[in-house]
Amino acid sequence: MKKIFIGFCLLCCLQASAQLRFNLGQNSPQSKLQWAEAAINSLYVDSVDEGKLVEDAIRGMLKELDPHSSYATPKEVKSMNEPLQGNFEGIGVQFNMVEDTLIVIQPVTNGPSEKVGIVAGDRIVLVNDTAIAGVKMSKEDIMKRLRGPKGTKVRLGVARRGVKDLLSFTVTRDKIPVKTIDGVYMVKPGVGYIRIGSFGATTYNEFMQGIEQLKQQGMKDLLLDLQDNGGGYLQAAADIANEFLGRGDLIVYTEGRRVPRSEYKADGRGVLRDGKVVVLINEFTASAAEIVTGAIQDHDRGMVVGRRSFGKGLVQRPIDLPDGSMIRLTVAHYYTPTGRCIQKPYKKGDLKDYEMDLDNRLKRGELTNPDSIHFADSLKYKTLRKGRTVYGGGAIMPDYFVPLDTLQYTRYHRQLSAKSIVISQSIKFIDNNRKQLRARYANFEQFKADFEVPQSLVDTIVAEGEKQKVKPKDEEELQRTLPYLRNQLKALVARDLWDMSEYFQIANEQSHIYQKGLEVMAIDN
């Protein structure tokens, strides 16, 4: 009798609260899942969060598929989309946190904050009369207070060096552009450089503006830097690859179990079909960045320099759920023009092994020695014009391998960076010396030629490291660290006085991949 009663209650709950969208068979997996959720929600001994229960079930299912199928809450969806959509709504400042204080690095040009008079070096300490400095508020909470719908107003209390009283500004929030092109500059006569940070909705337009700028300065050959580019929109990648290729050239194709083959081809109207091209990649180059790299390599349009890319070649289709959450479900694979699958191997449900791939590459010597990278004969492909050998099996193998220099990137430097000691001390240095630096260096060219990192700044970093128990193993490790540290500090100062293009002009001076790229550019290929 008891069993009959419980079963009857459960059936009533199902009939009353679970209207299925699909016509499910009695023994279908979907029906089984719905019965289980209804049983737990209706009969479990303690109260349950039904929403979380369903979300956990979705995450559990996706976890057993592949490393890139995922579930995102409505909040996560908004945060995830902002960098790709090309804008967000807020006050328009680049900032860093130093000792619980928000320091403005640069206001966005013509942005809401610049318009009301906020300048680099200002400290925002109050937001709508709420203190955000010295109260250990998280960066996420601070951003939540600064961002808001376009047209809304926010009152800011600002401390400015040399001004005794707190300044008050009312800022009207607006759409703030998110740049995806990190650097554009001429390396030397005839050779231009562009670094793409990610592929978003505005990337193609930004890229073409950069190309036009470089062509006006006499660019004939291009160094395309895709290092650390984690990907983004497929269409943005296809649009950029189109600029390098001839009419009808295949850029990429996708194919899946339930998704028919779909091809992206060049229209022959690209503005970069002539001149040398060298693409720079590393182990963090992934997805859309691998599509561009693979297309250029397979068509012999340019040379690829660096280290084997990440190997993310799975196509996700966003499935919007009624509450604003989203499932990103893998539906197909990316293939380069020669038919190479970009996706590296993985074990379904074994996310840990997948996440450890780069560590395993380092342990096997793959990041430091090309002879440690082994390809089966079945994974060899031929490029489409010159018949050069390229390799499949996941990721893009460069034409010119550049080993990771473990002597340049010392353990000591990695620990200083991990604890944010380098960045925080450089910000303090800029904050204390901004006016003097601006007065001394009329332009970036003068700064690049004449500025030397003061020993006092290096000493401060070493001392702060010791305070946080970060010390070099010996004098030799310290001396090996200093050249790269000084270059990094000079680049950071340049970034805060100018922008990211100036940062990379200095940082690239000690990049082995960049330097090898220039060598390859000089070769008649």
Side-chain angles (χ1 to χ4, degrees), residues 413-467:
H413 181 268
R414 290 196 299 272
Q415 290 184 350
L416 287 173
S417 298
K419 294 206 171 186
S420 300
I421 294 171
V422 177
I423 188 77
S424 63
Q425 294 305 318
S426 73
I427 291 171
K428 286 182 181 179
F429 173 78
I430 285 285
D431 195 37
N432 292 329
N433 298 279
R434 189 182 301 274
K435 285 186 178 179
Q436 300 93 306
L437 289 167
R438 284 286 190 192
R440 184 172 179 182
Y441 300 105
N443 53 55
F444 171 69
E445 287 69 28
Q446 184 187 358
F447 172 89
K448 185 181 179 184
D450 299 339
F451 177 78
E452 292 185 5
V453 174
Q455 184 61 40
S456 58
L457 175 56
V458 175
D459 292 342
T460 299
I461 289 172
V462 172
E464 183 62 27
E466 289 183 359
K467 195 184 298 183

Side-chain angles (χ1 to χ4, degrees), residues 179 181-186 193-195 213 444 448 491 494-495 498-508:
K179 290 184 179 180
I181 302 291
D182 291 337
V184 178
Y185 65 89
M186 289 297 292
Y193 169 93
I194 287 188
R195 182 180 177 105
Q213 173 187 326
F444 171 69
K448 185 181 179 184
R495 180 200 68 178
W498 288 280
D499 210 334
M500 290 300 292
S501 289
E502 288 75 16
Y503 171 90
F504 281 108
Q505 286 189 59
I506 292 173
N508 282 335

Side-chain angles (χ1 to χ4, degrees), residues 172-421:
T172 303
R173 297 183 180 100
D174 203 347
K175 283 193 177 295
I176 308 301
V178 177
K179 290 184 179 180
T180 58
I181 302 291
D182 291 337
V184 178
Y185 65 89
M186 289 297 292
V187 179
K188 58 183 181 180
V191 179
Y193 169 93
I194 287 188
R195 182 180 177 105
I196 305 177
S198 61
F199 288 90
T202 62
T203 303
Y204 176 70
N205 289 335
E206 290 179 54
F207 179 77
M208 296 309 293
Q209 289 169 11
I211 291 298
E212 180 61 26
Q213 173 187 326
L214 293 174
K215 280 182 172 289
Q216 288 176 1
Q217 296 177 60
M219 181 193 77
K220 295 179 180 178
D221 305 323
L222 178 65
L223 210 57
L224 178 61
D225 193 347
L226 299 180
Q227 294 178 85
D228 304 321
N229 185 317
Y233 289 154
L234 166 61
Q235 190 60 56
D239 288 344
I240 286 175
N242 177 71
E243 296 299 320
F244 295 92
L245 302 177
R247 181 175 177 81
D249 285 347
L250 181 62
I251 295 170
V252 66
Y253 69 91
T254 63
E255 195 169 17
R257 180 175 68 94
R258 292 293 181 91
V259 177
R261 175 167 169 149
S262 177
E263 297 182 346
Y264 293 76
K265 292 185 176 182
D267 61 17
R269 294 180 292 185
V271 300
L272 296 167
R273 287 171 292 156
D274 300 313
K276 295 178 183 178
V277 178
V278 173
V279 184
L280 310 181
I281 66 171
N282 64 7
E283 57 275 14
F284 299 106
T285 302
S287 190
E290 292 173 295
I291 289 172
V292 175
T293 306
I296 290 174
Q297 187 181 51
D298 281 7
H299 285 289
D300 293 297
R301 178 63 191 88
M303 292 290 114
V304 179
V305 174
R307 291 185 289 277
R308 186 161 68 96
S309 63
F310 184 84
K312 197 271 187 186
L314 297 175
V315 183
Q316 280 75 52
R317 175 175 294 171
I319 300 171
D320 297 317
L321 302 179
D323 65 346
S325 60
M326 177 195 291
I327 291 174
R328 289 176 55 83
L329 187 67
T330 296
V331 296
H333 287 90
Y334 290 128
Y335 295 88
T336 72
T338 58
R340 293 182 289 164
C341 180
I342 292 174
Q343 179 60 43
K344 62 188 176 185
Y346 60 89
K347 298 175 185 175
K348 288 185 178 180
D350 193 348
L351 188 59
K352 183 177 180 182
D353 180 70
Y354 190 79
E355 290 174 339
M356 293 297 291
D357 178 59
L358 295 182
D359 287 332
N360 292 334
R361 288 193 206 183
L362 182 61
K363 290 175 183 175
R364 291 192 297 264
E366 291 188 33
L367 300 183
T368 54
N369 189 340
D371 294 335
S372 299
I373 305 172
H374 303 290
F375 296 98
D377 288 341
S378 60
L379 298 176
K380 290 183 179 180
Y381 293 74
K382 295 294 182 182
T383 59
L384 300 173
R385 282 172 173 72
K386 297 182 179 180
R388 298 181 302 111
T389 299
V390 290
Y391 297 94
I396 304 295
M397 184 68 185
D399 301 301
Y400 293 86
F401 180 85
V402 180
L404 178 69
D405 188 345
T406 54
L407 294 178
Q408 182 186 35
Y409 306 102
T410 64
R411 175 203 58 86
Y412 178 51
H413 181 268
R414 290 196 299 272
Q415 290 184 350
L416 287 173
S417 298
K419 294 206 171 186
S420 300
I421 294 171

